[in-house]
Amino acid sequence: MRTVREDYDVVVCGGGLAGVCAALAAARTGANTCIVQDRPVFGGNSSSEIRVFPQGAANYHAYARETGIISELLIEERAVNHEPNRDNGRTNSVWDMVLYDKIVRQERLSFHLNSSVFDVRLGAGGRVEGVLARVQHAETVLEIGGAVFVDCTGDGVVAALAGCPWRMGTESRAEFGEPYAPEAASADVMGSSIHFRAKDVGRPVPFRAPPWAYVYDNPEVFFKKGRHPTDPEGGYWWIEIGVPWNTIEDNETIRHELTRHVLGIWDYIKNRDPALSRKAANYALDWIGQVPGKRESRRIMGMYILTENDLLRGTRFPDEVAYGGWFVDLHAPGGLLAAYSERAAAEGRKSEYAKRTYVGPYGIPLRSLIAANAANLLTAGRNISVTHAALGSTRVMGTTALLGQAAGTAAAMAALGGVAVRDLLEERRMRDLQQRLLRDGCFLLHAVNEDPQDLARAARASASSEEALSGAEPAPESVEPGPDDGDALDAVLGQWIALGADRADAFSVYLSNLSGETQQVAARLVPVDHIWDYRTGLPPFAETVLEVPPGRRLEVRWDAGLAVPPERRGRYVRLELG
């Protein structure tokens, strides 16, 4: 067994999207960087080994798409990949190669794949001086020293080995006053999943499950529990197992149990449900994952614990370095072994839980990325300093990628500046960090670009001519009725409108009424603070009832005749119907 010694400014442990973005950011900021990954490919849960499609705030907020390095990676993947950009289970190795190519070509960046961190070297004051990693199938131990380390391992391996405090489980509601935390604390965590993919081979294909596969014969397990095996191609997020097993120590047991469930679910689709078996007659299994995609394990305690209340209230942090926007997506402990896998999915499209756990884009502070008792250790990914409830939102990969870029940039600035990572919280250094993130393409909710060299700040837009907007008006009556003509207005719909003048005389909406009788629709103008303000139940400053006669694509006009209050000019209102 040989030992190889290497030294760097920044060492990133873990090669999921958080680690990839951290390593690229650190190297681009000027630090000599190394990334250590325990799998043969980069990408973590998004890789071809697990195939979870990266998602984040953009899924719920049209103007909050993740930018920076993760956007660069996703755009490049679309340019070179033939695989349709769809949901879980479809990711192929072209995505792995996009990530690999970026790592290989990046200056000042070295990498080690198939290398598992198993120990750390500590110096005075709990400072991490190096990590030890075993290279699989190479009889080699790497001893990698560094000035600053970033733990992106998901399980918080480096931080745990360094003796940093961590939590694993669920806090009680009383500890932080979180509305969706349970009454009692427990060791329960969200489970892990594996996906499968099936392929239409153009002819009927039989399937016989092995005797050790799980047996499913009750449709209520699926269709009344929010688990819908309706797409024969697979990729079901709800093939999930956790409790009663430990998601770290029992990972291999979980993998085997998930494999039993995948084969049992496919057997149900192919052989036990008449409608599904007809639909899947020509489908054959093409791939079954054998690396569980993990949602939750250790959370490394930092200088600040981000809570569900911070997400729901949109707490404003002076050290904001990233943002999230996924809802508080807490899966039931046990997954397939529980009554349902996730409450919003079980409740359906009108889920009250989904409405109550909605969060607008929220900031994440650097303090939640700084390990509490280590001078030179940052975390990024699902192992940052959050409660179990807050993790329901921060764990998704679009968000963890942003956390990675923030941590990598901060690590490089600390290493090159010769300061402890917590020294970056000083006002001047924090401003420099935030401005660097903005300059590198990131978006921060509460930081303003102050770069004097940014020519865009001094740019002025002009046009040689103008024309009224066209193409957004409703189709003329002569057009054949479409599928939307019959949709019922059974939920509140809203349109954000910017008020730039001192009056709002009229509003028009286009509605179809196929009932044969005049119908009434409630309309309200609700003051909102910004384009992400989806709060419901706010008092309107104007409201009316619209009379909608029978017909298709009717323009219904509200002659509001409103004087816009001075405090609302230049801000938004939401026109709500229903």
Side-chain angles (χ1 to χ4, degrees), residues 257-278:
E257 289 298 316
L258 285 169
T259 304
R260 292 182 62 223
H261 282 276
V262 166
L263 293 169
I265 290 166
W266 187 242
D267 177 53
Y268 177 83
I269 292 171
K270 289 287 287 186
N271 302 317
R272 298 177 183 271
D273 184 287
L276 291 177
S277 62
R278 287 192 297 271

Side-chain angles (χ1 to χ4, degrees), residues 333-534:
L336 283 167
L337 305 183
Y340 58 84
S341 295
E342 193 274 315
R343 187 181 302 176
E347 291 178 354
R349 188 169 66 90
K350 298 183 181 180
S351 168
E352 287 299 317
Y353 176 79
K355 294 177 184 177
R356 294 193 302 269
T357 56
Y358 163 85
V359 295
Y362 55 85
I364 302 174
L366 180 64
R367 285 168 294 159
S368 292
L369 279 60
I370 299 176
N373 62 349
N376 65 333
L377 179 60
L378 289 150
T379 63
R382 60 178 172 83
N383 57 358
I384 68 168
S385 183
V386 295
T387 63
H388 165 81
L391 182 70
S393 174
T394 62
R395 63 184 173 82
V396 294
M397 283 185 284
T399 303
T400 62
L402 299 181
L403 293 170
Q405 182 164 356
T409 305
M413 293 178 69
L416 297 175
V419 299
V421 290
R422 65 184 58 203
D423 290 339
L424 297 176
L425 297 171
E426 186 269 327
E427 183 178 356
R428 178 182 57 81
R429 290 192 175 104
M430 177 51 58
R431 184 183 302 112
D432 290 344
L433 172 57
Q434 291 173 333
Q435 291 300 310
R436 173 77 198 209
L437 290 169
L438 293 176
R439 189 163 60 250
D440 290 343
C442 292
F443 168 69
L444 298 175
L445 292 167
H446 302 108
V448 177
N449 178 11
E450 300 172 351
D451 186 356
Q453 298 182 18
D454 185 356
L455 297 179
R457 296 178 64 221
R460 296 292 181 268
S462 63
S464 60
S465 61
E466 62 183 44
E467 185 178 2
L469 175 68
S470 62
E473 66 275 1
E477 190 68 31
S478 59
V479 174
E480 287 296 316
D484 293 339
D485 282 341
D487 288 352
L489 184 61
D490 56 1
V492 176
L493 298 180
Q495 172 67 53
W496 277 248
I497 300 172
L499 295 180
D502 57 0
R503 291 191 59 79
D505 292 318
F507 300 88
S508 290
V509 295
Y510 289 85
L511 299 170
S512 293
N513 175 7
L514 308 183
S515 69
E517 300 177 356
T518 297
Q519 299 290 333
Q520 294 184 329
V521 174
R524 296 172 295 278
L525 284 177
V526 177
V528 292
D529 291 334
H530 46 70
I531 55 176
W532 296 305
D533 194 344
Y534 294 88

Side-chain angles (χ1 to χ4, degrees), residues 84-153:
N85 191 347
R86 296 177 63 188
D87 209 340
N88 298 332
R90 279 79 173 183
T91 307
N92 62 16
S93 60
V94 176
W95 170 241
D96 300 342
M97 284 294 104
V98 168
L99 302 179
Y100 189 76
D101 177 63
K102 282 292 182 185
I103 295 291
V104 171
R105 287 206 277 173
Q106 179 60 53
E107 294 181 0
R108 293 184 294 272
L109 180 55
S110 300
F111 65 93
H112 293 286
L113 291 170
N114 294 305
S115 302
S116 300
V117 174
F118 67 89
D119 201 0
V120 301
R121 294 284 187 259
L122 296 178
R127 183 180 181 86
V128 179
E129 293 188 342
V131 297
L132 298 177
R134 185 173 290 108
V135 184
Q136 300 170 31
H137 315 298
E139 297 185 359
T140 298
V141 170
L142 303 172
E143 186 173 345
I144 305 175
V148 180
F149 292 79
V150 187
D151 187 339
C152 301
T153 61

Side-chain angles (χ1 to χ4, degrees), residues 14-21 35 37-54 91-92 95-96 99 113 152-154 193 195 287 291-294 382 397 400:
L17 289 187
V20 167
C21 292
I35 181 171
Q37 162 72 326
D38 63 355
R39 301 300 306 169
V41 295
F42 294 109
N45 280 349
S46 76
S47 74
S48 63
E49 291 190 314
I50 301 174
R51 303 190 183 188
V52 179
F53 186 76
T91 307
N92 62 16
W95 170 241
D96 300 342
L99 302 179
L113 291 170
C152 301
T153 61
S193 292
H195 297 306
W287 170 84
V291 180
K294 202 174 295 185
R382 60 178 172 83
M397 283 185 284
T400 62

Side-chain angles (χ1 to χ4, degrees), residues 544-562:
T544 191
V545 175
L546 303 176
E547 299 284 338
V548 186
R552 283 192 173 93
R553 304 186 183 98
L554 302 174
E555 179 181 359
V556 182
R557 181 181 173 94
W558 176 11
D559 291 307
L562 293 175

